[in-house]
Amino acid sequence: ANPSGQPTLEYNEMHGFHALGAGGGWHQHAWSQFSRRWQQHRARSSSASNGASTSGRGSYLERVKGWQGPSKAALISGSLSATGDLLAQFVQAQSNQKEGKPMGPYDPLRTLRMFGFGLCLYGPIQFYWYNLLEWLMPVKTTATFLAKVTANQLLLAPVTLSTVFTWNLMLTDQAESIPNKLRTDLLPTMKNGWKFWIPAASFNFLAVPVEKQVLYMSMCGVLWTAYLSHASTTRIAADPVPLTIK
C-alpha cells in the first residue's frame, strides 16, 4: 500500500498517465517502461547523429590546418614534377636521336619551371582537393568512388591543365599564346588524361589511404608530368604567335 494514500503515477508516452496503484496493471507499467526507454534511445541516437554531423562539418579545417601537410605535399609534388620533366627531356632526346635529328641540349630552366609548378601549385592543390573529397565522402562505396573519380576528371583536371599551360607560357614570355593554347590543347590533353588517370585514380580512391594519396598520385604524376612538360612546350599548329621552347 502507498503510505501517502495517493496512487503511484507512471508516465506513458503513448497513453498519458496511468494510476498503477489504482489498478493500472503490470502490463501497462511494462509498456510504459518500454515506451520511455525507446524514446530515450531515439533521442540519444538523434543527438549523437547531429553531433557527428556538426563535428564532421567542422573537421575539414581541422584536417587541413597548419603548414606541415601542404608543405610536405608541395615538396613531394615539386620533386616528382622535376623528375617527370627530366624523363620527358630524356625520352625526347632519345626519340630525336632515333629519327636522326639533333638531340638538343638539356634545358635546366624547363626542369626548374616544372619543379616550381609542383611546389607552388600542384602539390598544395592536390593536398586540399583530396582532403576535401575525403571529408565530403568518407565512406567508400561504389557511388562515392564514381563521384570522386568523376570530380577528379571533370573538376581537378581542367584546373591542373590550364594552370600548367599558363605557368609555362608566362614564364617563357609567351603569355599572348595562352588563349590559343587552351582552346587548341586543353580538351585533347584532358582526353589523353582520362585514359591514364581514370585507372590510376580508381586505384587511388579504392585502395590508397588519404594520407598517402598525394604521394601515390605524384608518383603516377611523374609519367603524366613528363607528358605535360612535353605538351606544354610543344608548338601549336596555326598559332599566330609561334611557340618556342626556351
Side-chain angles (χ1 to χ4, degrees), residues 159-176:
V159 171
T160 300
L161 295 177
S162 300
T163 302
V164 71
F165 290 163
T166 301
W167 176 270
N168 276 301
L169 290 173
M170 287 187 66
L171 292 180
T172 53
D173 297 324
Q174 299 178 83
E176 67 277 2

